[in-house]
């Protein structure tokens, strides 16, 4: 069947090939690179080229830089520093921009009078030519935008009102991603507690914005909660649970068309009153959902994590493997170096680590970061892995900490240029040439801290 | 040193040959992948310009055309991200009726971006899975999974 489809695909492309005609492209207008001589780029391109100098290492970027992974933005130590000149068809432009050194830190004063409220970063993603972050302050959750990761501007607010204008509660987005020209945030709107509902109402929610992050629309997905969002080959998928009465049922939502929940609990056939998806990853063979299940009588003890597996996202089976993970925050990242999870050990009374690695997403081992006790909050990967969190020692208490690794096995501590106490790195985002980390300050002072690393 | 003996000139000749060989094919592939003929044209020019600027390195890659394809597709995508858009066929409406199996192309256009990029590389450019993996800088298993999912969706929608 697939062979027949493959033949159809090849035939369709063949038939259409000669019909794909480049619009208005006549020889006199061809913007063709005409040569490379001695490190000098001579190009008849529409975009001016910008040479960014980082510590004597030149990164060649376009001012219309796209989302170019890998080599396009990777520092090459062998590249001579700043010898490139860009020539356009109409003008000669040569601009040198000194990027901040790796490890630079900046403070974003989110709440002007810090005594009157705190601010906390909730999520970050690369967007267009920069970054968009979601930051919570006493007035709600706002999108903030930055070109360089250090200077930030407040954009739009994530609404929490229903179509009838009724405020549903406060926004708790857990992730923001960019997909097909949109920014998509997902999480939960937490409503007020009542005598009958001591947990408060919980509404699974998706917010969408065009790429500028200025205006967001809310789409409610019914009673439920979303704990994570995974970017898969099929687009972003939110994971959490549908709330049914006092219980919950593990569920996923495809954010490409959202709205309709995939009821995993029904698909697997579990009889548990309480189930929810802590995290999701895609694999070469399909998906793995990391699901906690329990009974209402012991709802707060649903601390076991099972792997539920699917090849197509529709049919699910309960795998035999019991994960070593317990309750608490959990996230899973798929990287070229393997799978990594942020999770707490079930058997331990008090975990001294929470980063794990796995070759297949099913069998997990703790990651040794070379310190006695650490807690990871986020992991970025740009070819290399970059973990952010904190260390805990008797002498120094909690300290912001950063680690990088090429292999995922051997990790090195990365030092920022200065080491503020009482700031905890919280979320990390990556673009082609830098990693941006946002952290929150303790005690609350209304500010968020940003670091960049190249 | 004559011009032909100059290493930089030799590089230039090599790039030129590469450009002549791949320009049209990659333009059409990017047009299928991003669904906008104008943008595909700019994107391919941008990618070739970057390749020219770093040809000593790009020319040494396993699949230089793959690098250009990836850079062009990602550049186009970053532009598309600034605007809401609908993917369309990069073919004039008046010509669409001439196509014998246009449904296939319409369904390819509906695929998620990352699956579409792999499908175009596999069935239009006719690259091997390993070459696509090298081009997109992802594991071969990832290419397989994107391709399998795309084929499963296409199979369902076209049946």
């Amino acid at each position: 069947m697939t062979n027949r489809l493959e033949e159809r695909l090849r035939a369709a492309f063949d038939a259409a090939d000669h019909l794909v005609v480049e619009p208005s492209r006549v020889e006199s207008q061809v913007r063709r690179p005409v040569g490379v001589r001695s490190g000098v780029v001579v190009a008849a391109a529409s975009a001016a080229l910008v040479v960014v100098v980082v510590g004597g290492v030149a990164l060649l970027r376009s001012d219309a830089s796209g989302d170019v992974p890998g080599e396009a933005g990777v520092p090459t130590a062998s590249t001579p520093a700043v010898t490139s000149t860009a020539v356009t068809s109409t003008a000669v432009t040569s601009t040198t921009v000194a990027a901040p050194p790796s490890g630079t830190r900046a403070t974003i004063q989110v709440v002007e009078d810090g005594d009157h409220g705190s601010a906390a970063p909730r999520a970050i993603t690369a967007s267009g030519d920069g970054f968009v972050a979601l930051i919570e302050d006493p007035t709600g959750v706002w999108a903030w935008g930055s070109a360089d990761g250090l200077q930030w501007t407040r954009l739009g607010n994530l609404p929490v009102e229903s179509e009838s204008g009724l405020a549903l509660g406060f926004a708790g987005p857990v992730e923001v991603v960019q997909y097909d020209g949109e920014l998509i945030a997902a999480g939960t709107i937490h409503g007020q507690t009542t005598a009958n509902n001591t947990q408060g109402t919980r509404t699974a929610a998706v917010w969408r914005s065009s790429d500028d992050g200025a205006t967001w629309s809310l789409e409610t997905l019914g009673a439920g909660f979303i704990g994570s969002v995974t970017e898969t080959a099929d687009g972003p998928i939110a994971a959490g649970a549908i709330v049914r009465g006092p219980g919950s049922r593990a569920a996923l939502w495809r954010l490409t068309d959202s709205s309709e929940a995939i009821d995993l609990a029904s698909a697997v056939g579990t009889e548990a009153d309480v189930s929810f998806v802590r995290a999701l990853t895609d694999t070469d063979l399909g998906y793995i959902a990391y699901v906690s299940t329990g009974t209402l009588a012991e709802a707060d003890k649903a601390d076991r994590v099972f792997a539920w597996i699917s090849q197509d996202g529709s049919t699910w089976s309960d795998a035999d493997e019991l994960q070593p993970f317990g309750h608490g925050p959990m996230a899973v990242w798929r990287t070229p170096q393997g799978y990594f999870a942020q999770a707490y050990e079930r058997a331990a009374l008090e975990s001294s680590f929470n980063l794990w690695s796995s070759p297949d997403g099913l069998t997990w081992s703790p990651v040794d970061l070379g310190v006695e006790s650490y807690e990871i909050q986020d992991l970025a990967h740009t070819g290399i892995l970059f973990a952010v969190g904190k260390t805990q020692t008797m002498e120094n208490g909690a300290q912001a900490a950063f680690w990088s690794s090429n292999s995922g096995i051997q990790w090195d501590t990365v030092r920022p240029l200065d080491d503020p106490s009482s700031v905890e790195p919280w979320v990390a985002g990556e673009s082609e040439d830098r990693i941006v980390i946002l952290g929150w300050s303790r005690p609350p002072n209304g500010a968020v801290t940003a670091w960049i690393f190249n | 040193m004559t011009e032909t003996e100059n290493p930089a000139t030799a590089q230039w000749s090599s790039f030129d040959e590469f450009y002549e060989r791949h320009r049209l094919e990659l333009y059409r592939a990017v047009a299928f992948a991003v669904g906008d003929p104008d943008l595909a044209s700019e994107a391919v020019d941008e990618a070739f310009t970057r390749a020219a600027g770093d040809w000593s390195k790009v020319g040494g890659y396993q699949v230089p055309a793959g690098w250009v394809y990836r850079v062009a597709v990602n550049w186009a995508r970053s532009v598309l991200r600034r605007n809401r858009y609908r993917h369309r066929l990069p073919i004039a409406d008046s010509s669409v009726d001439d196509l014998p199996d246009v449904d296939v192309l319409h369904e390819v256009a509906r695929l998620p971006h990352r699956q579409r990029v792999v499908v175009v590389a596999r069935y239009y450019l006719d690259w091997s899975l390993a070459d696509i993996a090298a081009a997109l800088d992802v594991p071969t298993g990832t290419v397989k999974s994107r391709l399998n999912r795309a084929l499963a969706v296409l199979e369902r929608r076209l049946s």
Side-chain angles (χ1 to χ4, degrees), chain A residues 1-2 5-6 8-10 12-23 25 30-38 41 43 45-47 49 60 62 64-72 74 76 128-129 178-182 208-211 231-235 282-287 311 334 336 432, chain B residues 3 8-9 11-12 15-16 19-20 23 27-28 31-32 37-38 41-42 45-46 48-50 52-53 55 57 61 67 70-71 74-75 77-78 80-85 90-92 95 99-101 103-105 108 112-115 119-120 122-124 126 137 139 141-142 145-146 149 151 154-155 158-159:
Chain A
M1 193 67 174
T2 298
L5 175 60
E6 290 180 313
R8 279 182 75 182
L9 279 161
R10 288 197 172 93
F13 279 125
D14 274 354
D17 185 42
H18 70 285
L19 298 175
V20 183
V21 179
E22 205 158 354
R25 187 177 172 85
V30 171
R31 293 165 301 174
R32 171 185 172 183
V34 292
V36 183
R37 294 170 199 272
S38 305
V41 179
S46 59
L49 294 172
L60 187 63
S62 161
S65 60
D67 178 14
V68 184
E71 299 83 359
V74 173
T76 51
D129 293 335
Q178 192 178 52
Y179 186 78
D180 270 355
E182 274 191 331
R208 297 176 190 277
S209 166
S210 57
D211 209 17
E231 293 185 75
T232 75
D234 298 326
D282 65 343
T283 74
D284 291 345
L285 301 176
Y287 299 101
Q311 287 188 340
R334 184 186 191 192
E432 64 186 82
Chain B
E3 195 165 87
T9 308
Q11 252 176 20
W12 183 93
F15 172 80
D16 207 38
Y19 179 90
E20 293 297 339
R23 175 62 178 70
Y27 160 69
R28 286 174 171 164
F32 280 125
D38 295 290
S41 179
E42 284 186 52
D45 283 341
E46 171 72 24
F48 271 110
T49 301
R50 292 188 191 189
W55 182 243
K57 188 172 163 190
Y61 289 154
W67 186 91
R70 171 162 58 110
V71 169
N74 285 340
W75 185 89
R77 193 163 157 74
S78 75
L80 290 170
R81 281 171 176 160
R82 294 173 196 139
N83 303 294
R84 284 169 183 272
Y85 81 105
I91 297 167
S95 302
L99 289 169
D101 198 0
D103 288 351
V104 173
L105 296 178
V108 169
H113 171 78
R114 285 189 281 189
Q115 292 179 15
V119 166
V120 171
R122 184 78 185 100
Y123 300 110
Y124 176 70
D126 209 21
D137 197 22
T142 302
S145 87
R146 289 180 188 176
R149 287 180 204 185
L151 292 176
L154 292 172
E155 192 98 63
L158 290 166
S159 62

Side-chain angles (χ1 to χ4, degrees), chain A residues 15-302:
Chain A
D17 185 42
H18 70 285
L19 298 175
V20 183
V21 179
E22 205 158 354
S24 310
R25 187 177 172 85
V26 295
E27 197 54 35
S28 62
Q29 293 175 321
V30 171
R31 293 165 301 174
R32 171 185 172 183
V34 292
V36 183
R37 294 170 199 272
S38 305
V40 177
V41 179
V42 183
S46 59
L49 294 172
V50 178
V51 178
V52 181
V53 184
V54 182
V57 177
L59 310 184
L60 187 63
R61 304 186 62 212
S62 161
D63 66 352
S65 60
D67 178 14
V68 184
E71 299 83 359
V74 173
T76 51
S78 59
T79 309
V82 203
T83 54
S84 298
T85 308
V87 183
T88 72
S89 56
T90 54
V92 176
T93 307
S94 179
T95 311
T96 301
V97 179
S102 186
T104 299
R105 180 173 68 92
T107 299
I108 313 159
Q109 195 62 44
V110 175
V111 183
E112 294 218 353
D113 182 352
D115 292 338
H116 289 92
S118 58
R122 294 299 178 206
I124 186 171
T125 187
S127 175
D129 293 335
F131 292 85
V132 167
L134 302 180
I135 298 177
E136 184 179 336
D137 68 24
T139 66
V141 176
W142 295 77
W144 289 67
S146 174
D148 61 4
L150 292 175
Q151 297 185 39
W152 291 79
T153 306
R154 197 169 81 167
L155 306 172
N157 175 252
L158 269 57
V160 290
E161 290 80 24
S162 66
E163 284 183 8
S164 60
L166 181 70
L168 299 171
F170 62 90
V174 294
E175 193 60 89
V176 60
V177 298
Q178 192 178 52
Y179 186 78
D180 270 355
E182 274 191 331
L183 287 166
I184 307 174
T188 308
I189 296 178
H190 302 272
Q192 296 294 318
T193 57
T194 63
N196 294 330
N197 186 348
T198 53
Q199 273 200 314
T201 59
R202 287 177 291 175
T203 306
V206 177
W207 294 267
R208 297 176 190 277
S209 166
S210 57
D211 209 17
D212 59 9
T215 306
W216 293 78
S217 60
L218 167 65
E219 182 181 1
T220 55
L221 306 178
F225 55 91
I226 288 173
S228 66
V229 176
T230 304
E231 293 185 75
T232 75
D234 298 326
I237 298 178
I242 307 161
V243 172
R244 294 255 176 91
S248 67
R249 303 182 65 76
L252 301 175
W253 291 264
R254 290 187 185 280
L255 299 184
T256 45
D257 47 15
S258 69
S259 63
E260 200 62 40
I262 303 168
D263 183 344
L264 261 60
S266 295
V268 169
T270 177
E271 294 178 0
D273 306 315
V274 176
S275 63
F276 53 96
V277 185
R278 288 191 186 277
L280 175 82
T281 187
D282 65 343
T283 74
D284 291 345
L285 301 176
Y287 299 101
I288 302 173
Y290 301 90
V291 181
S292 283
T293 63
T295 63
L296 277 173
E298 296 183 316
D300 60 336
K301 293 179 182 170

